[in-house]
């Protein structure tokens, strides 16, 4: 490895690791802001939150890598240009293409690592992270009994406290409804004061009650003999022990989450797409066979509306009676029409059901295909960001976190907006999945090639004096043209007068 390569690599790794850490931290802060109410106030332990942040740090890496590559490239080559090191390199006869060679190799390696990460670690981190997030969200908040309000979060009990003292344990005016037997408000305990605390590593909640009464309605009704309608007794001290298992975090089976697209690798997504494609084709083929049952036409005689008594009269009295009865009895002329309308409604309902099913499967298929392409587009995006950042840094010639960060955020937002828009249009079926997935990279690749061409020719694209001089030349040109117009107009007027 030559000294030039070592110089550029040494200038690159520091900003790259720093910006990668900063970007991951920013996305973690976004997670905390979005799920703040669901994450905190549940007394789950610091270790659990560290585990959650670890998984989501891994989840954010595919998003953070392209942005870190872009910022670090801008900072590296901007700093080299700012301190005239790029000028020295060019004056030594080394082209910008040769200077970019070590970073080209690094970009390819990072892109390869990104693909491996997206295909192996990212699905695993999504499965673990979102399962843990779901478990935390569904866990009840820590016991929080407020004054004057019935607290119903403990299963089987409804608790009201008139006053809580600052120590959080001493209570005044306690009412406890025991619903553990699901028999309504038949067991009520009232106490003048109480102590509230937990035992056995917060597995049970204890109310130590003082100077109260215990009321039980319809006591011993199930025993049959000596049934008592109402029981009441006073106590100077009593204890009520309640299980706090409802506040424990229950782990959900991972099988409930692993079928989502973000938790699948390339092979699994390919198999899912093939299955959905075959299933959609089968639905279309079977639709016509299943619909044939609604198109069975058969000639049926109208049901007779003549009663058995009328038939007997017609048989006994002769033809003249049967003619009179037949004239009076008229069949329903709309019966076949009603039958046709009923069959048409059934057919419409059947068709709508099949259309909904096929549409839903097609949406799943497009979404699955998009995530399959995303495994590759996220990796190629790193190389595209290198192609934009390195030559653009050489053109801007500004290092540090000033101009490079502003430019990087602009291109990152542009990439993010185009990616999300492509995803939306692809899932809605308005554009092909390939177009929606790859448009962002193709557009940014074209921009990167433009910047690379400008950097090769030492373009002063972002220097203000270039545009000032261009405007001056334009004004001068416009002024000279106006002068020529005046001269020609005077000459024309002279010829006209002559």
């Amino acid at each position: 490895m030559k000294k030039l390569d070592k110089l550029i690599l040494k200038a690159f790794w520091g900003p790259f690791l720093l910006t990668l850490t900063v970007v991951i931290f920013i996305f973690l802060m976004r997670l905390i802001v979005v799920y703040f109410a669901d994450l905190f106030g549940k007394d789950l332990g610091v270790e659990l939150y560290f585990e959650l942040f670890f998984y989501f740090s891994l989840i954010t890496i595919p998003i953070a890598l392209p942005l870190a590559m872009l910022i670090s490239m801008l900072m590296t080559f901007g700093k080299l240009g700012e301190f005239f090191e790029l000028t020295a390199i060019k004056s030594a006869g080394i082209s910008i293409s040769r200077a970019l060679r070590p970073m080209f190799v690094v970009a390819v390696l990072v892109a390869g690592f990104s693909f491996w990460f997206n295909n192996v670690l990212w699905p695993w981190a999504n499965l673990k992270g979102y399962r843990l997030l779901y478990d935390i969200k569904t866990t009840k908040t820590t016991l929080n009994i407020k004054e004057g309000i019935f607290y119903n979060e403990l299963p089987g009990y409804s608790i009201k406290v008139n006053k809580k003292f600052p120590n959080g344990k001493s209570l005044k005016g306690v009412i406890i409804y025991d619903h553990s037997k699901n028999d309504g408000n038949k067991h009520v305990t009232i106490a003048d004061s109480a102590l509230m605390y937990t035992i056995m590593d917060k597995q049970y909640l204890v109310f130590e009650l003082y100077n109260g009464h215990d009321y039980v309605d319809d006591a011993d009704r199930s025993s049959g003999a000596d049934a008592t309608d109402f029981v009441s007794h006073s106590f100077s001290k009593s204890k009520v022990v309640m299980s706090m298992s409802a506040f424990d975090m229950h782990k959900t089976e991972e099988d409930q989450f692993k079928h989502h697209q973000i938790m699948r690798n390339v092979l699994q997504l390919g198999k899912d797409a093939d299955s959905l494609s075959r299933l959609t084709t089968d639905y279309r083929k079977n639709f016509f066979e299943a619909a044939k049952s609604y198109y069975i036409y058969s000639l049926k005689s109208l049901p007779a509306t003549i009663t058995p008594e009328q038939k007997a009269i017609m048989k006994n009295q002769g033809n003249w009676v049967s003619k009179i009865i037949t004239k009076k009895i008229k069949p329903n002329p709309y019966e076949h029409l009603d039958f046709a309308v009923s069959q048409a409604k059934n057919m419409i309902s059947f068709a709508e059901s099949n259309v909904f099913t096929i549409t839903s499967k097609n949406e799943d298929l497009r979404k699955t295909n998009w995530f399959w392409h995303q495994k590759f587009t996220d990796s190629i995006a790193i190389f595209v960001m290198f192609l934009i950042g390195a030559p653009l840094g050489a053109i801007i010639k500004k290092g540090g976190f000033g101009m490079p960060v502003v430019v990087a955020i602009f291109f990152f937002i542009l990439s993010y907006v185009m990616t999300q828009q492509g995803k939306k249009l692809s899932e809605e079926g308005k554009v092909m999945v390939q177009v929606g997935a790859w448009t962002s990279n193709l557009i940014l690749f074209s921009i990167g090639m433009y910047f690379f061409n400008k950097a090769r020719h030492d373009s002063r694209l972002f220097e203000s004096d270039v545009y000032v001089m261009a405007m001056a030349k334009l004004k001068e040109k416009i002024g000279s043209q106006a002068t020529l117009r005046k001269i020609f107009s005077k000459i024309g007027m002279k010829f006209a007068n002559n």
Side-chain angles (χ1 to χ4, degrees):
M1 184 182 292
K2 296 185 178 181
K3 291 184 178 180
L4 174 63
D5 299 335
K6 291 181 180 179
L7 172 68
I8 295 175
L9 289 174
K10 185 178 179 180
F12 165 76
W13 285 115
F16 177 76
L17 295 176
L18 177 62
T19 53
L20 182 63
T21 304
V22 170
V23 172
I24 291 175
F25 177 77
I26 292 172
F27 280 106
L28 284 180
M29 290 300 102
R30 174 182 172 273
L31 170 73
I32 293 175
V33 170
V34 173
Y35 296 107
F36 185 85
D38 298 319
L39 292 177
F40 300 103
K42 298 185 178 182
D43 194 21
L44 296 175
V46 179
E47 299 83 4
L48 198 66
Y49 291 108
F50 273 115
E51 183 182 359
L52 180 69
F53 294 152
F54 169 73
Y55 289 136
F56 273 88
S57 298
L58 296 178
I59 291 171
T60 57
I61 284 179
I63 305 174
L65 276 176
L67 182 57
M69 177 64 71
L70 177 60
I71 294 177
S72 57
M73 284 294 172
L74 282 164
M75 293 175 63
T76 300
F77 284 89
K79 187 176 180 180
L80 292 175
E82 186 177 7
F83 292 98
F84 303 103
E85 290 173 309
L86 274 180
T87 305
I89 292 171
K90 293 176 183 177
S91 63
I94 301 174
S95 66
I96 189 68
S97 303
R98 173 62 185 86
L100 291 177
R101 186 186 299 174
M103 299 318 307
F104 175 84
V105 175
V106 170
V108 171
L109 293 176
V110 175
F113 168 78
S114 176
F115 176 77
W116 174 82
F117 188 93
N118 287 347
N119 193 43
V120 178
L121 279 184
W122 195 65
W124 174 81
N126 274 297
L127 179 60
K128 296 290 185 180
Y130 280 104
R131 181 195 63 82
L132 184 57
L133 178 62
Y134 175 79
D135 292 342
I136 293 175
K137 288 172 64 177
T138 53
T139 301
K140 292 184 178 181
T141 56
T142 308
L143 185 70
N144 185 19
I145 300 176
K146 297 181 180 180
E147 295 180 355
I149 300 174
F150 275 101
Y151 183 79
N152 301 310
E153 293 298 322
L154 278 167
Y157 295 93
S158 183
I159 305 166
K160 181 181 177 183
V161 175
N162 291 332
K163 183 175 178 59
K164 286 179 67 177
F165 291 92
N167 60 9
K169 295 182 178 180
S170 301
L171 310 174
K172 187 73 173 176
V174 179
I175 302 175
I176 300 176
Y177 284 89
D178 187 350
H179 300 149
S180 58
K181 296 181 180 179
N182 295 320
D183 55 354
N185 297 327
K186 294 185 178 181
H187 187 180
V188 184
T189 302
I190 301 175
D192 179 66
S193 60
L195 284 176
M196 179 180 66
Y197 54 90
T198 58
I199 59 174
M200 299 182 66
D201 196 19
K202 298 183 180 180
Q203 294 184 18
Y204 295 93
L205 177 67
V206 178
F207 281 90
E208 196 169 305
L209 306 172
Y210 299 95
N211 302 325
H213 298 272
D214 196 44
Y215 304 98
V216 182
D217 192 12
D218 289 341
D220 300 328
R221 278 291 177 186
S222 59
S223 62
D226 297 329
T228 305
D229 289 336
F230 184 79
V231 172
S232 173
H233 71 272
S234 302
F235 57 85
S236 58
K237 182 179 179 180
S238 179
K239 283 186 179 181
V240 178
V241 181
M242 307 174 185
S243 174
M244 295 187 66
S245 59
F247 295 92
D248 296 336
M249 191 183 74
H250 303 283
K251 292 187 177 180
T252 310
E253 292 293 332
E254 293 182 354
D255 291 342
Q256 300 183 23
F257 301 91
K258 67 180 183 180
H259 296 290
H260 195 276
Q261 288 89 347
I262 63 174
M263 302 167 190
R264 314 284 280 176
N265 58 33
V266 170
L267 294 177
Q268 291 170 336
L269 288 170
K271 291 179 181 178
D272 293 344
D274 291 339
S275 299
L276 288 169
S277 180
R278 287 195 301 268
L279 192 60
T280 305
T281 303
D282 291 341
Y283 269 113
R284 288 196 177 99
K285 289 181 179 178
N286 296 333
F287 172 77
F288 297 102
E289 293 295 327
K292 289 181 180 179
S293 61
Y294 295 95
Y295 289 99
I296 297 176
Y297 294 99
S298 58
L299 296 175
K300 297 181 179 179
S301 59
L302 292 174
T305 55
I306 302 175
T307 63
E309 291 80 5
Q310 292 171 336
K311 286 184 178 181
I313 294 172
M314 291 168 61
K315 186 177 180 180
N316 296 328
Q317 299 298 329
N319 294 332
W320 66 275
V321 176
S322 63
K323 290 179 181 179
I324 295 174
I325 294 176
T326 304
K327 288 180 180 179
K328 292 182 179 181
I329 301 172
K330 296 182 179 179
N332 182 10
Y334 301 104
E335 184 173 357
H336 287 299
L337 179 60
D338 294 340
F339 177 75
V341 170
S342 176
Q343 289 292 90
K345 289 181 179 178
N346 293 336
M347 182 61 204
I348 292 172
S349 177
F350 175 74
E352 288 177 347
S353 175
N354 275 268
V355 168
F356 176 80
T357 302
I358 293 174
T359 303
S360 176
K361 296 300 179 185
N362 279 329
E363 289 177 358
D364 292 340
L365 176 60
R366 290 191 294 267
K367 191 174 182 180
T368 301
N369 284 329
W370 195 90
F371 277 99
W372 186 89
H373 283 279
Q374 187 193 29
K375 303 290 185 183
F376 299 92
T377 57
D378 284 353
S379 305
I380 300 299
I382 294 174
F383 181 78
V384 171
M385 291 303 177
F386 150 75
L387 196 59
I388 292 176
L392 192 57
I395 296 172
I396 294 176
K397 297 178 182 177
K398 294 288 184 181
F401 280 96
M403 180 64 70
V405 173
V406 175
V407 176
I409 290 175
F410 169 77
F411 281 105
F412 178 77
I413 292 175
L414 179 63
S415 172
Y416 181 81
V417 169
M418 287 192 295
T419 301
Q420 294 301 313
Q421 190 65 24
K423 180 182 179 182
K424 180 176 181 293
L425 296 175
S426 299
E427 292 179 354
E428 292 175 354
K430 295 180 180 179
V431 298
M432 294 176 61
V433 176
Q434 294 83 349
V435 175
W438 289 94
T439 298
S440 174
N441 280 342
L442 290 174
I443 293 175
L444 292 177
F445 178 79
S446 303
I447 296 174
M449 291 301 297
Y450 171 77
F451 287 143
F452 179 72
N453 184 54
K454 290 294 183 181
R456 284 180 58 199
H457 295 89
D458 295 327
S459 173
R460 301 171 64 191
L461 192 62
F462 294 97
E463 295 183 15
S464 59
D465 58 338
V466 175
Y467 299 98
V468 171
M469 293 174 60
M471 289 297 295
K473 289 181 180 180
L474 181 63
K475 289 179 180 179
E476 183 180 351
K477 186 176 181 180
I478 294 173
S480 61
Q481 288 179 354
T483 305
L484 289 174
R485 288 196 198 95
K486 290 180 180 178
I487 293 172
F488 283 121
S489 63
K490 288 180 180 179
I491 294 173
M493 291 176 64
K494 288 181 179 180
F495 278 110
N497 294 330
N498 294 331

